[in-house]
């Protein structure tokens, strides 16, 4: 367990010094990336002997905990129409989309549905839609009827007044950026590749495939899974390299913590030729499944949406399947 108080370089007494309490002992450490006056209390534990020791979701005392993030917020209780939205209201700019080769286009001329918005079957394969699985989409074409070719920003320029502007992130590539589509048609999530503190750029890695239309710009956004943003009660951060879990307790220490990377708790898979028959799930409670927003997504139609083909209970290729009197507990 440790805590610190930081004094800025303008302090007359302890410039750029952090006073840390570690296990009851106080030590002093030079630090230039902290915020003056901020006090945090964080507990940590070594999970290197646990098996498995990789997880993306944490439940504390039965509730889904919030990963360290900026701005502070809880997706279950904050949003665009609450007083504290949990989002940065805008970016100063969105970085140009990544360039891709053209898709292979398939156009089936017959039959045609005259008088409709999509009169014939068209799809683009690969190229600008190679991030979907399978890598195909109506919006992969060079000139899709009703819109433009799918593309998403490669990053954003953050405003100069965000609190972390003078705070260095030791490992920005652990971060995940959540952003609204520019017209609020959906949400994007990107793995963060890097941060340029001079240009105020957050550069994206993979992601942005959680909706199908794309856009050159986004709207409100936040970033999570950054250790230096672990500053609010109830937040957590897991260092995958050192297998160390950090938690800012919300009051007293928790009595139970469950980490998971299980996206599905039950999967039943058959086929048309060999279906799974006569399965009943009765009087069960399903809980503690992991997030899937960075897993595979596919585009099933010419609409605005993409979908992750999975779930807490995933069933395909079955006959006479019954799920009855079960509770899906997603606290």
């Amino acid at each position: 367990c440790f805590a610190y108080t930081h004094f800025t370089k303008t302090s007359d007494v302890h410039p750029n010094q952090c006073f840390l309490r570690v296990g009851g002992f106080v030590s002093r450490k030079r630090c230039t990336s902290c915020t003056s006056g901020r006090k945090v209390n964080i507990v940590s534990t070594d999970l290197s002997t646990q098996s498995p020791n990789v997880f993306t979701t944490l439940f504390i005392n039965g509730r889904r905990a919030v990963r360290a993030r900026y701005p502070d917020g809880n997706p279950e209780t904050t949003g665009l129409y609450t007083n504290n939205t949990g989002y940065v209201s805008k970016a100063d700019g969105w970085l140009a989309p990544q360039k891709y080769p053209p898709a292979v286009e398939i156009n089936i001329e017959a039959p045609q549905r005259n008088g409709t918005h999509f009169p014939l079957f068209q799809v683009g394969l690969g190229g600008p839609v190679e991030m979907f699985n399978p890598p195909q989409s109506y919006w992969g074409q060079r000139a899709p009827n009703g819109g433009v070719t799918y593309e998403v920003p490669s990053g954003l320029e953050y405003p100069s007044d965000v609190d972390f502007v003078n705070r260095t992130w030791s490992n920005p590539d652990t971060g995940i950026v959540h952003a609204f589509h520019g017209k609020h048609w959906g949400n994007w999530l990107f793995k963060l590749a890097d941060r340029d503190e001079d240009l105020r750029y957050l550069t994206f890695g993979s992601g942005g495939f959680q909706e199908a239309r794309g856009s050159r710009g986004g709207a409100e956004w936040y970033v999570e899974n950054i250790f230096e943003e672990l500053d609010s009660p109830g937040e957590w951060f897991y260092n995958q390299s050192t297998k160390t879990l950090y938690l800012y307790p919300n009051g007293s220490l928790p009595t139970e913590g469950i980490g998971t990377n299980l996206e599905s708790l039950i999967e039943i898979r058959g086929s048309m030729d060999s279906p799974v028959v006569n399965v009943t799930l009765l009087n069960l409670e399903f809980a503690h499944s992991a997030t899937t927003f960075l897993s595979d997504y596919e585009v099933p139609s010419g609409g605005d949406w993409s979908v992750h083909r999975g779930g807490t209970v995933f069933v395909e290729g079955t006959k006479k399947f019954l799920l009855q009197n079960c509770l899906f507990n997603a606290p």
Side-chain angles (χ1 to χ4, degrees), residues 40-251:
V40 298
N41 287 279
I42 301 170
V43 296
S44 64
T45 186
D46 179 7
L47 300 182
S48 59
T49 60
Q50 301 290 315
S51 181
N53 53 25
V54 176
F55 57 92
T56 59
T57 304
L58 179 67
F59 294 84
I60 297 293
N61 292 343
R63 300 288 301 181
R64 189 184 299 270
V66 177
R67 282 201 284 200
R69 54 174 281 172
Y70 180 86
D72 294 335
N74 185 334
E76 296 180 359
T77 58
T78 59
L80 294 188
Y81 300 102
T82 59
N83 289 332
N84 169 31
T85 66
Y87 284 85
V88 179
S89 62
K90 64 179 182 64
D92 278 3
W94 296 86
L95 306 188
Q98 182 177 340
K99 298 292 186 181
Y100 290 92
V104 175
E105 297 190 18
I106 297 176
N107 294 275
I108 299 178
E109 300 293 338
Q112 290 200 16
R113 299 183 299 172
N114 295 324
T116 67
H117 199 65
F118 304 103
L120 50 90
F121 180 85
Q122 298 172 296
V123 69
L125 307 179
V129 292
E130 68 178 27
M131 64 290 301
F132 296 104
N133 186 17
Q136 62 186 42
S137 171
Y138 172 83
W139 303 106
Q141 303 174 87
R142 282 183 288 267
N145 186 36
V148 296
T149 305
Y150 168 86
E151 58 182 357
V152 292
S154 63
L156 63 83
E157 179 184 349
Y158 53 86
S160 59
D161 60 352
V162 296
D163 289 349
F164 65 78
V165 70
N166 294 317
R167 191 159 57 243
T168 297
W169 294 345
S170 55
N171 293 292
D173 58 352
T174 64
I176 298 172
V177 173
H178 299 239
F180 274 99
H181 180 284
K183 296 184 180 295
H184 293 96
W185 290 346
N187 287 82
W188 298 324
L189 297 101
F190 299 93
K191 288 184 178 179
L192 190 58
D194 199 5
R195 174 188 172 189
D196 188 314
E197 296 183 32
D198 296 325
L199 297 175
R200 304 200 315 275
Y201 284 175
L202 298 181
T203 305
F204 301 154
S206 61
F209 42 69
Q210 298 84 6
E211 63 87 39
R213 283 291 292 273
S215 176
R216 296 184 67 86
E220 298 85 356
W221 62 276
Y222 70 86
V223 59
E224 70 165 353
N225 207 37
I226 297 292
F227 177 68
E228 287 77 8
E229 302 308 318
L230 181 57
D231 60 1
S232 182
E235 289 186 343
W236 64 280
F237 177 85
Y238 183 56
N239 188 316
Q240 299 275 12
S241 299
T242 64
K243 309 304 181 189
T244 304
L245 172 64
Y246 299 90
L247 173 69
Y248 191 141
N250 189 3

